[in-house]
Amino acid sequence: SHDHGTRAEIEQRAIDAEGPEVIDERFAKGLLSALEDKGIISADELRQAVEQAEASGSVLNGAKIIVKAWRDPAFKHRLVEDANSALRELGLEASNPHAATKLVAVCNTNEVHNIVCCTLCSCYPTGLLGPSPSWYKSRSYRSRVVREPRAVLKEFGTEIPQGCSVQVYDSTADCRYMVIPTPPENISDATDEELLQTITRDMLIGVKR
């Protein structure tokens, strides 16, 4: 099979495809450089902090929702009909701390594969998935995924059969999306903890199946 490279290589290619830096990016890099020069934080410490945040409970929140949907068809129906209300059943909120946000849950099936983006910036359900990855915010991903989603998915190592259509959902400031992946075949033999370990952030964005 074709080697698409490691996740780090894939993400770096997306960032490299950005083109010239904009002023905000130069400011952010300058601020980070100043903090490093003064010994306030190192690049490794910043990377570790980001990795810890991405592996924190907020990522687990999304996985818990999916396991509940896999186990409970009635909950899955409520999640698709009104995700905000369904999440409150689990003591979770889809809205961000600053403004009311609508969450829409979309189901992958054998006929449809869903993928999420934000063409304008980086709108994303951070409370459920953790901090958005750098490639999600890149101009390369945001512009290409709506035009050539199959090609983008292939770069993530995800091949979509020709008989399966690809639906792209564009997030906004007041509406975010989360993908409900198809459950594994052996779901009845697995514990909730085992199922949680199979669910990744990338699956809930839709770049993985």
Side-chain angles (χ1 to χ4, degrees), residues 133-199:
S134 55
W135 56 261
Y136 181 87
K137 296 176 279 191
S138 72
R139 289 194 300 278
S140 173
Y141 176 80
R142 291 187 284 120
S143 63
R144 290 183 59 225
V145 74
V146 294
R147 292 185 285 107
E148 46 183 3
R150 288 180 184 272
V152 172
L153 285 165
K154 191 172 183 179
E155 291 171 10
F156 280 91
T158 303
E159 297 273 1
I160 304 298
Q162 285 303 315
C164 181
S165 64
V166 179
Q167 176 68 54
V168 181
Y169 287 89
D170 190 0
S171 301
T172 65
D174 55 5
C175 183
R176 314 289 166 86
Y177 296 90
M178 183 177 73
V179 175
I180 304 174
T182 53
E185 293 181 359
N186 63 340
I187 183 171
S188 60
D189 299 327
T191 66
D192 285 1
E193 186 61 35
E194 288 170 337
L195 290 175
L196 286 172
Q197 297 302 315
T198 70
I199 299 166

Side-chain angles (χ1 to χ4, degrees), residues 18-31 137 139:
E18 285 282 84
E21 290 181 337
V22 297
I23 189 169
D24 289 347
E25 292 170 325
R26 291 197 297 271
F27 175 79
K29 286 187 175 181
L31 177 60
K137 296 176 279 191
R139 289 194 300 278

Side-chain angles (χ1 to χ4, degrees), residues 20-195:
E21 290 181 337
V22 297
I23 189 169
D24 289 347
E25 292 170 325
R26 291 197 297 271
F27 175 79
K29 286 187 175 181
L31 177 60
L32 177 58
S33 179
L35 293 172
E36 291 176 344
D37 289 345
K38 292 183 178 296
I40 296 173
I41 191 171
S42 70
D44 280 344
E45 288 170 337
L46 180 61
R47 176 185 54 77
Q48 290 170 6
V50 171
E51 288 177 351
Q52 288 171 358
E54 290 186 340
S56 68
S58 58
V59 179
L60 190 58
N61 287 339
K64 288 178 178 177
I65 296 164
I66 300 305
V67 171
K68 174 70 171 174
W70 284 348
R71 296 284 199 200
D72 185 345
F75 174 79
K76 180 180 178 181
H77 177 77
R78 295 193 297 275
L79 181 64
V80 172
E81 290 295 311
D82 186 344
N84 291 64
S85 294
L87 262 59
R88 284 193 283 272
E89 297 177 27
L90 304 181
L92 299 171
E93 285 290 338
S95 294
N96 63 46
H98 311 293
T101 306
K102 179 181 179 181
L103 178 71
V104 177
V106 293
C107 294
N108 279 351
T109 68
N110 290 334
E111 292 76 34
V112 180
H113 178 82
N114 301 290
I115 183 170
V116 178
C117 71
C118 176
T119 54
L120 291 180
C121 51
S122 59
C123 296
Y124 174 92
T126 54
L128 304 178
L129 306 187
S132 56
S134 55
W135 56 261
Y136 181 87
K137 296 176 279 191
S138 72
R139 289 194 300 278
S140 173
Y141 176 80
R142 291 187 284 120
S143 63
R144 290 183 59 225
V145 74
V146 294
R147 292 185 285 107
E148 46 183 3
R150 288 180 184 272
V152 172
L153 285 165
K154 191 172 183 179
E155 291 171 10
F156 280 91
T158 303
E159 297 273 1
I160 304 298
Q162 285 303 315
C164 181
S165 64
V166 179
Q167 176 68 54
V168 181
Y169 287 89
D170 190 0
S171 301
T172 65
D174 55 5
C175 183
R176 314 289 166 86
Y177 296 90
M178 183 177 73
V179 175
I180 304 174
T182 53
E185 293 181 359
N186 63 340
I187 183 171
S188 60
D189 299 327
T191 66
D192 285 1
E193 186 61 35
E194 288 170 337
L195 290 175

